[in-house]
């Protein structure tokens, strides 16, 4: 990830393809669902946009994460919304897939505005004056729109104009998205392989705690509002499974700092492991409970 070709072209292009795939599964009704299920949508969005960054700041402080670049990387990830991966995990875990898609879509729109604000705050807290260049807010919003919201909109347009084509290409695009996600994480790790092990030791506990805590917060907050089990599972997943690809892209492409990309990469690895536990619990534990 040292060349401009990779960080300036391949990373944004890969993210755009992933977001295009998400758009192929969206319809306008997904946005209306916010008004149909206001409690579920509100708690899900609140967890992602407000609670997650606050918990991120708290955990960085509690664990005394000494590397400022890794600390900023944690907050870059915490500023990101859920991604297409959360939709897949929610579906496999017997959650409310429609709600998951809605939460991902809405939070992605809001995050375009909140990401530069949260990241700049993290930069000012953890980095020394003169060691960083703040993200230009409006320029960052424009770039994030180009690589996230625009591909989603194109995907939705394709679905509205050519439904059969969208359905045929939906699965292949998801497979490609999964491969791209793996390659992006691998690139982030290989580019910093010399310090990855030491970085994992320091940021790993923070990432794991952030992931598990938000999964727990998502589920408990939903159950406290007496939401259905499927909705509770979805809110848990959406609260704890973030768009690591976007986090790596922001760190490497917008902040031009590959070390900051390590934290989203480590979080992505951890969230896949915890996602496996959620899937097993939902499909085995709940099945036995019903029986």
């Amino acid at each position: 990830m040292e060349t401009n070709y990779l960080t300036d072209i391949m990373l944004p292009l890969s993210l755009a393809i992933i977001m295009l795939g998400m758009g192929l599964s969206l319809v306008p009704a997904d946005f209306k669902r916010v008004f149909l299920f206001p409690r579920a949508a509100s708690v899900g969005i609140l967890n992602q946009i407000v609670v997650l960054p606050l918990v991120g700041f708290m955990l960085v402080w509690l664990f005394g994460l000494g590397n400022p670049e890794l600390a900023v990387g944690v907050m870059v990830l915490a500023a990101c919304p859920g991604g297409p991966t959360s939709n897949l995990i929610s579906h496999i875990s017997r959650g409310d897939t429609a709600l998951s898609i809605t939460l991902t879509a809405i939070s992605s729109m809001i995050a375009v505005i909140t990401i530069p604000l949260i990241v700049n705050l993290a930069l000012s807290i953890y980095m020394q004056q003169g060691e960083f260049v703040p993200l230009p807010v409006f320029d960052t919003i424009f770039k994030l729109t180009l690589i996230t919201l625009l591909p989603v909109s194109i995907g939705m347009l394709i679905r509205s104009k050519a439904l059969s084509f969208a359905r045929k290409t939906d699965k292949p695009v998801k497979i490609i998205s999964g491969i791209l996600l793996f390659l992006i994480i691998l690139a982030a790790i290989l580019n910093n392989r010399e310090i990855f092990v030491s970085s994992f030791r320091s940021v790993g506990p923070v990432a794991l705690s952030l992931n598990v805590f938000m999964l727990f917060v998502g589920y408990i907050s939903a159950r406290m509002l007496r939401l259905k089990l499927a909705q509770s599972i979805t809110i848990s997943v959406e609260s704890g499974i973030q768009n690591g690809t976007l986090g790596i892209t922001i760190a490497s492409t917008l902040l031009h700092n590959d070390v900051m990309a390590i934290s989203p990469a480590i979080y992505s690895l951890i969230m896949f492991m915890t996602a496996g536990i959620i899937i097993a619990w939902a499909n085995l534990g709940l099945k036995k409970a019903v029986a």
Side-chain angles (χ1 to χ4, degrees):
M1 293 173 68
E2 295 177 350
T3 65
N4 288 334
Y5 175 75
L6 185 54
T7 58
D8 294 342
I9 299 177
M10 294 307 298
L11 263 178
L13 180 61
S14 298
L15 178 60
I17 292 174
I18 293 173
M19 299 308 290
L20 174 68
M22 188 176 83
L24 289 173
S25 64
L26 284 173
V27 294
D30 293 321
F31 296 91
K32 297 177 182 178
R33 201 171 287 112
V34 173
F35 304 101
L36 296 176
F37 305 102
R39 283 190 302 164
S42 297
V43 70
I45 294 171
L46 182 67
N47 284 344
Q48 285 186 313
I49 301 299
V50 178
V51 179
L52 178 61
L54 290 177
V55 173
F57 278 118
M58 180 187 71
L59 290 175
V60 169
W61 173 71
L62 284 176
F63 281 90
L65 187 56
N67 188 312
E69 293 172 304
L70 293 178
V72 172
V74 170
M75 293 314 304
V76 168
L77 184 282
C80 292
T85 304
S86 65
N87 303 151
L88 177 61
I89 294 173
S90 181
H91 175 70
I92 299 175
S93 302
R94 299 187 178 190
D96 187 330
T97 306
L99 175 62
S100 177
I101 292 173
T102 296
L103 291 176
T104 299
I106 298 297
S107 63
S108 295
M109 295 176 62
I110 299 174
V112 166
I113 299 173
T114 58
I115 283 174
L117 303 179
I118 294 172
V119 172
N120 280 341
L121 177 60
L123 288 169
S124 66
I125 292 174
Y126 302 121
M127 304 292 288
Q128 295 294 325
Q129 193 69 30
E131 292 183 350
F132 69 95
V133 177
L135 287 176
V137 175
F138 293 106
D139 183 57
T140 302
I141 291 174
F142 176 71
K143 289 179 179 177
L144 289 175
T145 300
L146 286 181
I147 61 178
T148 59
L149 299 187
L150 181 60
V152 169
S153 301
I154 293 174
M156 292 183 65
L157 180 63
I158 293 174
R159 182 181 177 89
S160 67
K161 301 296 182 181
L163 181 59
S164 59
F165 174 78
R167 287 175 174 172
K168 289 179 181 178
T169 56
D170 183 51
K171 187 174 181 179
V173 170
K174 285 182 178 177
I175 294 174
I176 294 173
S177 298
I179 295 173
L180 288 174
L181 174 58
F182 171 78
L183 292 176
I184 289 170
I185 295 172
L186 182 62
I189 293 173
L190 291 178
N191 192 60
N192 298 277
R193 55 189 176 276
E194 296 84 3
I195 62 171
F196 179 76
V197 175
S198 60
S199 298
F200 196 96
R201 289 171 182 167
S202 57
V203 80
V206 180
L208 177 62
S209 299
L210 180 62
N211 177 243
V212 173
F213 187 80
M214 288 308 302
L215 289 170
F216 179 77
V217 166
Y219 185 78
I220 294 301
S221 60
R223 297 306 283 172
M224 288 179 63
L225 291 176
R226 298 183 179 181
L227 299 178
K228 296 178 181 178
L229 181 58
Q231 292 177 320
S232 300
I233 292 173
T234 287
I235 292 173
S236 174
V237 171
E238 288 294 322
S239 300
I241 304 298
Q242 307 310 312
N243 193 337
T245 311
L246 178 58
I248 294 171
T249 303
I250 291 170
S252 296
T253 304
L254 300 184
L255 292 172
H256 305 288
N257 190 311
D258 288 339
V259 176
M260 292 180 183
I262 294 178
S263 297
I266 290 175
Y267 187 94
S268 297
L269 292 175
I270 290 174
M271 77 179 188
F272 282 123
M273 291 187 289
T274 57
I277 297 174
I278 294 173
I279 293 170
W281 169 75
N283 286 277
L284 297 179
L286 292 184
K287 187 176 180 181
K288 290 181 180 179
V290 173

